[in-house]
Amino acid sequence: MNTTGYADEILAELKRTINLIDSEEAEKLVEGISRAKKVFVAGGGRSGFMAKAFVMRMMHVGLDSYIVGETVTPNLEPDDIFIVGSGSGETQSLAAMTQKAKSIGATVVAVTINPDSTIGKLADIKIEIPAQAKGEGNSGKSIQPMGSLFEQSLLLFYDAVILKFMDKKGLNSEVMYGRHANLE
């Protein structure tokens, strides 16, 4: 298969996977973000990169949003929402953060392959992305290595959440661009 053929297969995998996400749970996430005082997002590895992209867009739509672990991240409070993207739902550092967020009383959201995981069981809102986990190898869900399908689906899902939030608030790209970095 040539490179563009692989790209076509990746796109087909993404479409199949995204279409299996529960719309009702996704709407609960948008509502939770709308009600929250502050939004905190966490993820490890490539999922962490997707979290940073999501937080950046939330800032562009005017939300008070943060990446957990950055030096400028404030304290989490009960009126806040904590969103964690973890394919396995078992990453120890993320599970510890999720437990802490739950004990504080924040709304906890798990975006994961495994809603019955440690992180999933702690969540108030569970978004299942039925992708291939890192160690599944030839599961038939993806031609891609490791957690690539989950990570890509995570970014697309996060971008769809932003679009739904924009629609709900009557926002457009012009308004968002006014919040874009301009010190370059």
Side-chain angles (χ1 to χ4, degrees), residues 39-61 63-73 82-86 94 97 111 150-151 154-159 162 176 180:
V39 182
F40 294 81
V41 187
R46 285 171 45 118
S47 297
F49 291 135
M50 305 313 159
K52 287 182 179 186
F54 186 37
V55 167
M56 180 183 202
R57 284 291 182 252
M58 284 192 282
M59 178 274 296
H60 289 148
V61 298
L63 291 166
D64 198 4
S65 55
Y66 301 93
I67 289 291
V68 175
E70 296 290 335
T71 57
V72 296
T73 302
F82 174 75
I83 303 165
V84 59
S86 172
L94 296 174
M97 289 178 203
V111 188
F150 172 75
E151 296 142 3
L154 188 60
L155 180 63
L156 290 178
F157 175 72
Y158 284 161
D159 278 349
I162 292 298
M176 291 172 65
H180 194 277

Side-chain angles (χ1 to χ4, degrees), residues 6-141:
Y6 283 122
D8 285 341
E9 181 57 31
I10 290 168
L11 290 172
E13 288 179 2
L14 286 166
K15 187 169 180 66
R16 282 191 303 270
T17 303
I18 293 295
N19 283 333
L20 294 172
I21 294 173
D22 185 322
S23 296
E24 288 180 28
E25 288 300 299
E27 293 304 315
K28 288 180 190 177
L29 173 57
V30 174
E31 288 301 318
I33 290 170
S34 297
R35 286 191 309 271
K37 183 178 172 188
K38 297 185 299 285
V39 182
F40 294 81
V41 187
R46 285 171 45 118
S47 297
F49 291 135
M50 305 313 159
K52 287 182 179 186
F54 186 37
V55 167
M56 180 183 202
R57 284 291 182 252
M58 284 192 282
M59 178 274 296
H60 289 148
V61 298
L63 291 166
D64 198 4
S65 55
Y66 301 93
I67 289 291
V68 175
E70 296 290 335
T71 57
V72 296
T73 302
N75 62 319
L76 181 78
E77 299 173 303
D79 291 340
D80 299 333
I81 190 167
F82 174 75
I83 303 165
V84 59
S86 172
S88 70
E90 297 295 344
T91 306
Q92 288 185 352
S93 60
L94 296 174
M97 289 178 203
T98 305
Q99 180 62 52
K100 179 72 172 183
K102 188 75 173 175
S103 73
I104 289 170
T107 300
V108 172
V109 180
V111 188
T112 183
I113 294 168
N114 184 7
D116 294 323
S117 63
T118 300
I119 292 170
K121 288 176 183 173
L122 292 167
D124 301 300
I125 300 169
K126 297 177 193 182
I127 309 294
E128 180 180 359
I129 297 181
Q132 174 176 299
K134 271 189 264 190
E136 281 187 336
N138 298 322
S139 67
K141 293 180 183 175

